[in-house]
Amino acid sequence: MRAKLLSMVVGLCLLASPALATERAQADYMVHCQGCHLADGSGFPERGVPDMRSVLIPFAQIEEGRGYLIQVPGSSLSSLSDERLTVLINWILQELAQGSETAEPYSIDEVTHWRAIPLEDPGVARARLLEMISPGSND
Ligand code: HEC
């Protein structure tokens, strides 16, 4: 109970303090994601870790894509709390995404919602999303 309350308070503080949230998100990215995705999000496409930079914003602008970014195993199965994953994914959208467009930041409730819905096949989901954001140019 106390731990839960504490983590709620920490979560709220993180959302309330952009500087602290940014530092925590950057550290979480380094520890939990960067090994596969590299510091800039370019990944290892030849080894199945896609370059996420150009798709982040287009995916985050459509409902199914918002789900996918949270449902992929790297996000959903990480040891991060929903609060920290929320701050992290918003940091990723802000720092690693290419292009000048923006997307609505995630709320904790939205992350909790998508995280609870398993994604059957990330590869199939990604191909479908690519087709949705840019019909006919599926790679
Ligand atoms: C062990 C390697 C690994 C780690 C660690 C990892 N990922 Fe991933 N990630 C992948 C792979 C592989 C994919 C492609 C989808 C799939 O097969 O799961 C992916 C896909 C993604 C995508 C979709 C990118 C796209 O262009 O389609 C996002 C977003 C993502 N991961 C976020 C994260 C976050 C956030 C973390 C850290 C909390 C993380 N990943 C940690 C391997 C990893």
Side-chain angles (χ1 to χ4, degrees):
M1 179 64 198
R2 268 181 72 186
K4 185 147 192 222
L5 194 64
L6 187 66
S7 94
M8 272 175 60
V9 171
V10 170
L12 287 175
C13 291
L14 281 174
L15 290 177
S17 160
L20 256 186
T22 300
E23 250 172 61
R24 166 61 70 79
Q26 206 164 4
D28 280 339
Y29 184 79
M30 279 174 72
V31 172
H32 296 278
C33 321
Q34 187 168 314
C36 294
H37 287 284
L38 295 182
D40 64 355
S42 56
F44 294 96
E46 67 288 354
R47 282 189 255 159
V49 185
D51 182 344
M52 62 168 84
R53 296 170 299 178
S54 65
V55 299
L56 282 166
I57 298 295
F59 283 7
Q61 287 175 336
I62 55 177
E63 185 73 0
E64 189 175 346
R66 292 183 74 83
Y68 167 81
L69 295 178
I70 299 301
Q71 289 170 300
V72 284
S75 299
S76 62
L77 303 180
S78 73
S79 61
L80 297 167
S81 66
D82 290 354
E83 288 89 341
R84 272 168 75 169
L85 182 57
T86 304
V87 176
L88 173 58
I89 195 76
N90 288 334
W91 177 87
I92 288 175
L93 286 177
Q94 182 129 25
E95 298 297 324
L96 304 183
Q98 278 171 346
S100 52
E101 286 199 48
T102 55
E104 189 74 20
Y106 284 82
S107 67
I108 298 173
D109 281 351
E110 187 179 7
V111 167
T112 303
H113 167 78
W114 287 121
R115 207 175 185 181
I117 305 172
L119 187 64
E120 243 171 56
D121 185 331
V124 170
R126 189 177 204 271
R128 193 168 56 228
L129 282 165
L130 287 176
E131 186 61 28
M132 284 167 77
I133 63 167
S134 175
S137 68
N138 210 342
D139 49 20

